[in-house]
Amino acid sequence: MNTHTAEPQHTMLAEIARRFELQRTLTRSGPAPTLAQRKHALDKLRRMLLTHQAAFTTAISEDFGNRSADETRMLEIGLLMSAARNARKNLHRWMKARRRHVDIAFQPAKAWVRHEPLGVIGIIAPWNYPLFLSLGPLIDVIAAGNRAMIKPSELTPRLSELLAQAIAETFDETEVTVINGGPDVAQAFSGLPFDHLIFTGSTTVGRIVMQTAAANLTPVTLELGGKSPVILCDDFDVTRAAESIAFGKFLNAGQTCIAPDYVLVPEHKVEAFAHAVIAHVGKSYPEIAGNDDYTSIVSQRHYDRLAAAIAEAQAAGATVLAMPGAPEVRKIAPTVVIGAPADGVLMREEIFGPVLPVIGYKTIEEALAFINGRDRPLALYAFSKERNMLDRILDGAISGGVTLNGTLLHAGQDGMAFGGVGPSGTGGYHGYDGFLRFSHARSVLKIGFVNVFEKLGPPWGGLARWITAVLEWRSSRG
Ligand code: NAD
């Protein structure tokens, strides 16, 4: 649906409702898709990605101003291909009914759990990885046998339009469909009585989405943001950590939900660490303005927000280390800030850009207290060679996910759920966990040749009371 036309609002809303009703009716009238049908849908999705990969890459780059083509291929298309392959390969096992234990009191009987499609799933995606965050959930949604409606971000209009076309060529609108538009369309979209809604975006909008969905009792998965900290321990090599943190921070110019937001460094190593980061980015990005490997900030509004946050820190006396940026192409050079004020934007809000505050700490307890004094983060990174120290950090601060002695890569694992906790998100997905997320675990009990409970009464007699007493005695034992 193209919102860049002058299509009246009510027509657009009627069209969204029409597509929803079409999908919903089918989920209520036919059997769940078979294994073969789900595999076929995943194959179609893989073919679509391969056919359009060059066009997707170009569209994303044009939307950003410049987005590294290699990063798009690796972090969006590559991860999607891998996730679709993983789902296709394992789906026959995931779909199998699971036998469950039946207590002797209920024998003879059999129990099992079937994982069944929920129905129509809404997917709302952000702009920072616009393809991966639209189609990543879709892979799990299809694997679980659902139909889907996707609402991509209005901040990547070329990609969103291309995605709508590619999906329409690949899938019938009763299977998967794309709805494009701004926050008003998004608001109406999230008000549809979906069987499940997955929202990826900011914590602020996530709160609104959860409230809107609550009116329909639509369950939500919220993939939100926040400030993901790094703890560098005293025993770990500063240069190695600096390289690893710079890699995670400056990819996509820091516009990654799990990018390291700030780094806690032993007090006496703050300067050395900051300079090691800057030395490393000098090698990774020898030039900024004309460097296709270095991504632009997605919009002027986001550029201005970041520039103002750096200026604010500088005015408050912070030390700012950076190469010159390129405002004409909305590029902010990798920037390290020492002494960012605690009440400034850089330390109050999710940075979501290539600016890395470095904060000194005296003891590991102080570093953990610093993290625990804030919202529970989406990701946590720790660098240490000592297993005990890493365990202490894992025990001491909760986060959605963790990469130890590296950054970002836990999010690329098909074998583990990805998600936040508390204000950084609700519910994880990816791989088998995504299949479970978008399935209904339906418990089935099949009674055997006799139902003992029915035989006992009413009227309840001595045998019933004796059996109840035996069960009570058994339950009261350790
Ligand atoms: P956003 O919240 O501004 O927008 C996300 C989507 O929500 C867009 O499609 C938008 O159209 C829609 N939307 C806007 N208003 C809405 C409303 N009232 N009701 C329903 N939907 C509405 O986020 P963004 O700026 O696109 O993305 C950046 C944020 O996303 C960052 O906070 C980042 O950390 C987070 N993020 C999280 C993950 C994750 O997996 N946890 C991944 C990427 C980004």
Side-chain angles (χ1 to χ4, degrees), residues 34 48-49 78 114 121 136 141 145 158 171 195 207 343 402 424:
T34 61
M48 182 192 92
L49 280 168
R114 294 160 54 96
I121 313 294
V141 162
R158 294 172 188 82
F171 294 98
D195 296 296
R207 280 181 215 280
D343 58 351
V402 180
S424 60

Side-chain angles (χ1 to χ4, degrees), residues 38 114-118 143-146 434-441:
R38 298 182 201 195
R114 294 160 54 96
H115 286 100
E116 299 184 343
L118 289 168
N146 300 285
F435 170 85
L436 294 179
R437 189 92 201 132
F438 300 116
S439 297
H440 169 54

Side-chain angles (χ1 to χ4, degrees), residues 124-128 133 151-154 181-183 186-187 190 199-203 205 208-209 223-226 257 302 350 352 378 418 424:
I124 302 181
W127 52 263
N128 64 328
L133 295 169
K151 156 65 187 83
S153 171
E154 65 280 10
Q187 174 79 43
S190 61
F199 168 83
T200 308
S202 61
T203 300
V205 177
I208 302 172
V209 167
E223 302 291 340
L224 309 176
C257 56
H302 283 283
E350 178 183 11
F352 220 54
L378 184 56
F418 174 79
S424 60

Side-chain angles (χ1 to χ4, degrees), residues 248-427:
K249 179 73 183 185
F250 302 119
L251 217 69
N252 207 26
Q255 301 165 107
T256 304
C257 56
I258 49 166
D261 191 275
Y262 61 91
V263 191
L264 294 159
V265 177
E267 224 167 37
H268 61 287
K269 290 185 172 168
V270 165
E271 293 281 332
F273 173 78
H275 285 98
V277 172
I278 290 296
H280 183 68
V281 295
K283 290 184 219 149
S284 306
Y285 310 107
E287 197 251 335
I288 297 297
N291 186 346
D292 286 347
D293 277 350
Y294 195 67
T295 297
S296 297
I297 303 302
V298 73
S299 71
Q300 194 59 42
R301 185 170 71 81
H302 283 283
Y303 180 94
D304 293 344
R305 175 182 65 82
L306 289 163
I310 298 169
E312 180 195 45
Q314 206 155 22
T319 304
V320 175
L321 308 174
M323 297 154 68
E328 67 287 0
V329 283
R330 286 200 311 272
K331 286 186 180 178
I332 291 182
T335 302
V336 176
V337 180
I338 303 172
D343 58 351
V345 169
L346 286 181
M347 290 316 299
R348 263 192 356 252
E349 295 175 10
E350 178 183 11
I351 295 173
F352 220 54
V355 188
L356 186 68
V358 182
I359 297 146
Y361 70 84
K362 287 193 186 65
T363 62
I364 201 72
E365 286 72 27
E366 188 188 325
L368 291 170
F370 190 93
I371 295 170
N372 288 327
R374 289 162 173 73
D375 284 345
R376 285 180 166 167
L378 184 56
L380 170 69
Y381 303 108
F383 288 81
S384 174
K385 287 186 289 194
E386 286 177 35
R387 193 170 158 194
N388 286 347
M389 179 57 86
L390 292 174
D391 283 343
R392 201 159 146 201
I393 293 170
L394 289 175
D395 288 344
I398 288 180
S399 67
V402 180
T403 296
L404 300 174
N405 299 339
T407 56
L408 307 185
L409 300 185
H410 64 280
Q413 307 306 310
D414 292 326
M416 293 199 296
F418 174 79
V421 54
S424 60
T426 298

